[in-house]
Amino acid sequence: GRLHHITTRGNNRRSMFADSEDRERFYALLDEGIATYRVECHQDVQMGNHVHLLLEGAIAEVSELMCSSATATRSRTTGATIA
């Protein structure tokens, strides 16, 4: 598969994670999706209101992974959804 640099951020540039539980939930959903969609994550970097991911896989699989994990993630505290 090809390498893809993906960024995802909170709505309205708000913080993606209100606390460690939000962060853990995001990464748990990402891990589930990686197993489901046959995508490999080579690197991730958390930057306050966004995350950079270096993913390897077919573009259709990467797209499905990001759609499934992003739409399922909403900060409990801030209400920000990941876009």
Side-chain angles (χ1 to χ4, degrees):
R2 291 185 163 188
L3 291 174
H4 305 277
H5 174 219
I6 306 294
T7 59
T8 185
R9 63 180 173 88
N11 284 346
N12 300 318
R13 299 182 187 229
R14 290 187 288 185
S15 177
M16 285 180 54
F17 310 115
D19 55 28
S20 61
E21 280 186 50
D22 282 346
R23 184 177 298 104
E24 288 171 15
R25 187 173 62 229
F26 172 77
Y27 281 102
L29 289 166
L30 189 64
D31 287 344
E32 284 179 31
I34 285 170
T36 300
Y37 296 108
R38 299 180 307 164
V39 172
E40 188 173 347
C41 182
H42 291 283
Q43 188 73 41
D44 72 278
V45 178
Q46 298 172 28
M47 308 285 294
N49 70 342
H50 66 284
V51 173
H52 292 265
L53 302 168
L54 183 60
L55 303 176
E56 183 176 358
I59 189 66
E61 299 290 324
V62 171
S63 179
E64 288 292 328
L65 164 65
M66 294 312 297
C67 286
S68 68
S69 60
T71 57
T73 305
R74 176 182 288 270
S75 169
R76 291 178 302 101
T77 306
T78 66
T81 54
I82 295 173

